[in-house]
Amino acid sequence: MHATRKLWTWLAVICVFSFAALLWVGREIYLEAPPIPLQVSSTEGTVLFTKDNVQFGQQAWLAAGGQQLGTVWGHGSYLAPDWSADWLHREALALQELVSLRDHGRKYAELEIGDKARVDVTIKNELRANTYDAVTGTLTLSTTRAEAVRRTAAHFNDLFGDAASLDALREQYAMTPNSLPKASDRKSLTAFFFWTSWAASTDRPGQSNLSYTSNWPHEPLVGNTPTAGAGMWSIASVILMIAAIAGMIFFHSIHKEEGDPTPPKNDPLFELKPTASMKATRKYFFVVAGLILAQVGMGIITAHYSVEGTSFFGFPLADILPFVVSRTIHTQFAVLWIATAWLATGLYIAPAISGHEPKYQALGVNVLFYALLFIVVGSTAFGWIGTLQKQGVDFAFWVGNQGLEFTSMGRVWQILLFVGLLFWVTLLGRGLWPALKKPSESRGLIAMVFLAALCIGGFYATSLAWGRTTHYSMVEYWRWWLVHLWVEGFFEVFATAVIALLFTRLGLIRASSANSAIVLETIVFLFGGILGTLHHLYFTGTPTSVIAIGSMFSALEVVPLSIIGIEAYRNYQRSKAAPWVQTYKWPILCFIAVGFWNTVGAGLLGFTINTPIALYYMQGMNMTAAHGHAALFGVYGMLGIGLMLFCLRGLSDRLAWSDKALRPMFWLLNLGLAMMVFMSLVPAGIYQAWASITRGVWFARSPEVVHSTFMETMVWLRVPGDIVFSVGVMFLIVFMWRLVFQNRPARKLAAAALAAAK
């Protein structure tokens, strides 16, 4: 007990100092973020853009699809271009032609090598020179550059409008005509794109060859190449990771874990009778199955759009389901079904652990279910309608699609979901309170479950931290608080503690060992995970210190994964500990799969892109998608399915349960995911990385690469994996269907057997 108290103290200290450091970095980002000029004007005094244009342009871009349609500073979807890189390249080419005509009277292609070199130096110097006056708030451009900006803006104005000359390009970008119908919105959009490009290429005040985005994106025309810091901190992070892994293995070797106890002769949960609130969680899991099915369907459509653009095997599907909507649903439902499975698990185990059913608990569980269902349906429907009808920025921000990846639902729905999560924490706390008050070996585990739940509910407040005019650097800062810390942090702590509690109740692990192990594991994970959040923010207009801190601490995130195979093997041994444990075979195998995908998806593929030098070239490419799919479904998805099956085992009649559908479900899901990642996404990501390294980010994201024969072949190679994965999902649906319709006959049979026995 004394050792466990010391671990809790260390956990508290690490959390306090880590979050203090993360908040300090946030303050530095706020102070050093790229300035938004009050006006952008030419040396002749012509005003091109104003601050209001830039800020409204950010809103207009998000309303038109935002991070679901291309990226800005590397964050978003991978089909359309990175708009910052695309603008920068187009403006550089336009300036190249204008300078060539001005200085040499000929087109750039007609110049001699020496003259071309002089033009190249001229445009590089002009684009890198920081002409922003902080006193007047004015950014002044030369007459020639102002003309290049006008020409570049005309392209984007036509692209987001309905110019027939760009129909083919829109098709390649999976864009629908008139993404922004209003001319004023399109003008502001071009101001925002210009500003993100300017911040990416101009030197910071007092610096040379260092832009506000640390020279991202890679663009040889303007001298955007990796900084020395990106290379040095990448090397340092790899060295730290290797040393920390060695230390972890050494620590594990000299601290032998206490062996598992002798399992009970019979299932300790066999006689557990579900309470009314536990039974009320059953419908949550059927909604989980429906959300999985919808998410997979939208994923197939979204992937296909990268070949046909706005059609699905010739059918003009984008007229009713554009790429922006299908991708929004695909990414949003991934988080929602996983979260729903975990929330329902918490509500199920609370009375089971405490042995107490609070008054009106079942009513609360039912109210929460319909409230969450209302939020899911409402946010999806209004986001879809708003996109189709192009309702504008006010509608998009408040009730439609905010355009931010994984946090796309409108602000009203975010507020309602925040309230719902706080209500869930209250229900969970009511259920666990008797167990928290009563001294027991498991109390530490129960406390960890509740604290993690409290963080899940409380930290969703970060989705409310940004407003409509918040600086884009700060939007990204707070968004990753939610996506990284909420989804990848506290949910994982919650799920790990829940699994340990379940194994403890089954008598497969010792409560005393689990108490210390969970706190220690949480310490190791959060020590790297909290400040590891910053690896998402290397190139989003942040100080160079973000690269140093983010790279070193994100390297530590890989450390606990180095021995995760040991835990997976021990779980496999536990699945064979006693004949009755076979009842929980498939939930336990799901937990073992989590260990595999943690190592491969989160560890191997994650660290592949986490170092600054790697992410410099691969940010916004398909290697990120490979990591995302393997980690999100492989780790969190399989964990959600395992928890769901565990709960359904206790909520279903034994005679109604059948493993026949679970075997193919498990193997097909894992095989299909592996095929999808390694046959399609990883090769596509490597090819794009080559394109980015050799010619620039603009080229890696251009139609020339994205719609090349190789890349489209990679998309088609997703089909076998998608089919295998989808069949696995269908086996899960069949299993759930049988559970519903075989439950009633099973109850009658059990009742008849009981009557005969009497």
Side-chain angles (χ1 to χ4, degrees):
M1 292 297 294
H2 179 67
T4 303
R5 281 197 296 269
K6 287 178 65 177
L7 288 174
W8 276 100
T9 302
W10 274 109
L11 177 60
V13 169
I14 286 169
C15 285
V16 168
F17 280 97
S18 295
F19 277 113
L22 192 59
L23 288 169
W24 173 80
V25 172
R27 174 182 175 274
E28 294 301 301
I29 294 173
Y30 177 80
L31 294 174
E32 297 187 33
I36 303 177
L38 292 177
Q39 66 177 30
V40 179
S41 62
S42 69
T43 51
E44 295 176 339
T46 304
V47 176
L48 301 174
F49 307 120
T50 65
K51 181 177 182 178
D52 289 341
N53 288 146
V54 175
Q55 290 182 324
F56 190 81
Q58 176 179 313
Q59 299 173 53
W61 173 63
L62 293 174
Q67 293 178 342
Q68 308 299 347
L69 184 67
T71 59
V72 164
W73 291 345
H75 292 287
S77 67
Y78 316 115
L79 182 52
D82 180 90
W83 304 113
S84 308
D86 195 44
W87 177 291
L88 180 58
H89 188 71
R90 290 178 183 277
E91 183 186 341
L93 290 180
L95 187 59
Q96 194 177 66
E97 287 300 324
L98 290 169
V99 170
S100 178
L101 290 170
R102 182 193 68 190
D103 295 349
H104 302 282
R106 288 182 293 167
K107 292 182 178 181
Y108 181 80
E110 299 171 354
L111 297 180
E112 301 295 332
I113 293 177
D115 291 337
K116 283 183 176 179
R118 280 186 282 275
V119 171
D120 291 343
V121 170
T122 300
I123 64 169
K124 176 184 174 181
N125 291 338
E126 182 145 3
L127 289 170
R128 295 211 72 91
N130 193 336
T131 56
Y132 172 71
D133 186 339
V135 177
T136 62
T138 301
L139 173 61
T140 305
L141 307 180
S142 69
T143 304
T144 307
R145 186 178 180 186
E147 178 57 27
V149 168
R150 291 190 192 96
R151 293 186 180 187
T152 308
H155 166 78
F156 288 99
N157 181 76
D158 291 345
L159 181 66
F160 282 80
D162 59 357
S165 59
L166 295 178
D167 283 345
L169 191 59
R170 283 192 210 94
E171 181 79 14
Q172 292 174 320
Y173 293 167
M175 290 178 64
T176 55
N178 266 331
S179 295
L180 285 172
K182 294 182 180 178
S184 59
D185 290 355
R186 296 197 297 273
K187 175 178 172 58
S188 294
L189 175 80
T190 60
F192 175 65
F193 285 172
F194 163 77
W195 172 77
T196 64
S197 168
W198 170 79
S201 58
T202 196
D203 287 335
R204 302 184 193 210
Q207 299 285 342
S208 177
N209 295 318
L210 178 65
S211 74
Y212 288 101
T213 61
S214 294
N215 290 355
W216 194 92
H218 179 219
E219 175 53 83
L221 285 177
V222 301
N224 262 9
T225 55
T227 63
M232 295 300 293
W233 286 112
S234 296
I235 296 171
S237 68
V238 173
I239 294 172
L240 175 64
M241 181 191 70
I242 295 172
I245 289 175
M248 174 68 73
I249 294 173
F250 176 74
F251 176 85
H252 190 269
S253 65
I254 64 173
H255 291 81
K256 295 295 183 182
E257 292 185 16
E258 190 176 3
D260 290 335
T262 302
K265 293 182 179 179
N266 299 305
D267 183 355
L269 300 181
F270 184 81
E271 300 296 333
L272 178 66
K273 296 187 182 299
T275 65
S277 69
M278 292 168 69
K279 291 178 182 178
T281 63
R282 200 163 180 264
K283 53 184 169 288
Y284 283 75
F285 298 116
F286 290 100
V287 169
V288 167
L291 290 175
I292 293 174
L293 191 61
Q295 190 226 343
V296 170
M298 290 297 172
I300 292 171
I301 293 170
T302 301
H304 188 81
Y305 277 145
S306 60
V307 176
E308 285 198 72
T310 56
S311 300
F312 190 74
F313 294 100
F315 178 75
L317 186 60
D319 292 344
I320 55 175
L321 183 65
F323 175 86
V324 168
V325 174
S326 68
R327 191 177 189 276
T328 298
I329 296 175
H330 178 62
T331 55
Q332 195 72 17
F333 276 19
V335 175
L336 289 175
W337 76 256
I338 292 170
T340 301
W342 294 6
L343 297 181
T345 298
L347 296 173
Y348 172 83
I349 68 163
I353 296 299
S354 68
H356 172 68
E357 172 86 344
K359 193 175 182 180
Y360 303 122
Q361 183 79 350
L363 175 62
V365 172
N366 285 324
V367 169
L368 179 62
F369 171 78
Y370 291 109
L372 292 176
L373 192 62
F374 172 73
I375 292 170
V376 171
V377 173
S379 62
T380 303
F382 276 87
W384 194 336
I385 292 169
T387 300
L388 285 179
Q389 297 185 356
K390 299 176 174 58
Q391 292 291 318
V393 296
D394 293 335
F395 185 94
F397 179 80
W398 288 107
V399 295
N401 183 354
Q402 282 196 51
L404 294 168
E405 195 174 31
F406 297 112
T407 60
S408 58
M409 63 175 62
R411 178 54 50 88
V412 169
W413 307 109
Q414 288 178 328
I415 294 171
L416 292 175
L417 183 55
F418 177 52
V419 173
L421 288 170
L422 294 182
F423 185 49
W424 169 71
V425 174
T426 303
L427 292 174
L428 188 64
R430 292 176 78 235
L432 292 175
W433 185 245
L436 286 169
K437 291 193 300 181
K438 182 181 177 181
S440 69
E441 285 189 322
S442 300
R443 188 160 68 167
L445 282 175
I446 298 168
M448 183 64 78
V449 169
F450 179 70
L451 287 175
L454 193 62
C455 289
I456 289 169
F459 270 79
Y460 191 75
T462 56
S463 68
L464 312 177
W466 63 81
R468 295 172 58 184
T469 59
T470 301
H471 193 289
Y472 192 67
S473 296
M474 294 306 298
V475 171
E476 282 297 285
Y477 171 76
W478 288 115
R479 186 175 74 88
W480 285 109
W481 267 66
L482 180 61
V483 177
H484 184 90
L485 288 174
W486 192 66
V487 177
E488 299 181 34
F490 299 114
F491 259 124
E492 183 156 329
V493 173
F494 172 79
T496 306
V498 166
I499 292 172
L501 260 179
L502 295 176
F503 277 16
T504 302
R505 285 300 304 269
L506 290 173
L508 299 178
I509 61 175
R510 302 178 192 277
S512 56
S513 301
N515 272 327
S516 299
I518 289 300
V519 181
L520 182 60
E521 183 177 329
T522 303
I523 288 173
V524 174
F525 179 77
L526 293 184
F527 182 69
I530 294 174
L531 288 174
T533 305
L534 297 175
H535 78 257
H536 298 285
L537 303 173
Y538 292 152
F539 312 118
T540 56
T542 56
T544 54
S545 58
V546 168
I547 292 178
I549 300 171
S551 61
M552 300 301 281
F553 280 91
S554 67
L556 295 177
E557 289 184 276
V558 183
V559 174
L561 305 181
S562 61
I563 58 171
I564 206 161
I566 298 173
E567 184 62 24
Y569 177 69
R570 294 193 67 179
N571 281 341
Y572 177 73
Q573 289 180 313
R574 288 164 186 150
S575 71
K576 297 180 177 297
W580 61 264
V581 182
Q582 289 299 301
T583 302
Y584 304 98
K585 174 182 178 179
W586 295 108
I588 293 175
L589 281 178
C590 286
F591 301 152
I592 293 172
V594 168
F596 171 80
W597 287 111
N598 239 327
T599 302
V600 174
L604 177 63
L605 294 177
F607 195 71
T608 297
I609 61 173
N610 272 6
T611 58
I613 194 65
L615 198 60
Y616 180 83
Y617 292 111
M618 291 192 282
Q619 178 151 293
M621 310 296 172
N622 272 283
M623 282 300 293
T624 305
H627 160 63
H629 282 75
L632 187 58
F633 184 87
V635 179
Y636 304 108
M638 290 306 298
L639 193 52
I641 291 174
L643 293 173
M644 178 176 72
L645 293 177
F646 195 100
C647 296
L648 287 173
R649 196 71 182 87
L651 290 169
S652 306
D653 290 316
R654 300 277 168 159
L655 294 175
W657 188 274
S658 173
D659 286 346
K660 290 181 179 179
L662 293 180
R663 180 185 299 274
M665 176 217 71
F666 175 82
W667 292 111
L668 291 174
L669 286 180
N670 284 283
L671 178 61
L673 180 60
M675 292 170 66
M676 187 190 314
V677 170
F678 293 106
M679 286 175 56
S680 175
L681 294 175
V682 168
I686 293 173
Y687 181 69
Q688 280 190 299
W690 166 83
S692 176
I693 293 168
T694 55
R695 295 184 60 181
V697 171
W698 72 271
F699 179 65
R701 295 288 299 274
S702 68
E704 185 178 347
V705 169
V706 173
H707 288 282
S708 65
T709 302
F710 177 83
M711 288 293 286
E712 291 199 350
T713 301
M714 290 302 101
V715 175
W716 285 114
L717 278 177
R718 280 193 62 168
V719 174
D722 285 350
I723 291 173
V724 171
F725 189 88
S726 300
V727 173
V729 172
M730 292 312 300
F731 272 106
L732 176 62
I733 301 300
V734 168
F735 168 79
M736 302 289 284
W737 180 272
R738 287 179 176 176
L739 213 56
V740 173
F741 290 97
Q742 289 185 4
N743 220 11
R744 295 170 186 171
R747 285 199 190 106
K748 292 180 181 179
L749 185 61
L754 182 62
K758 291 181 178 178

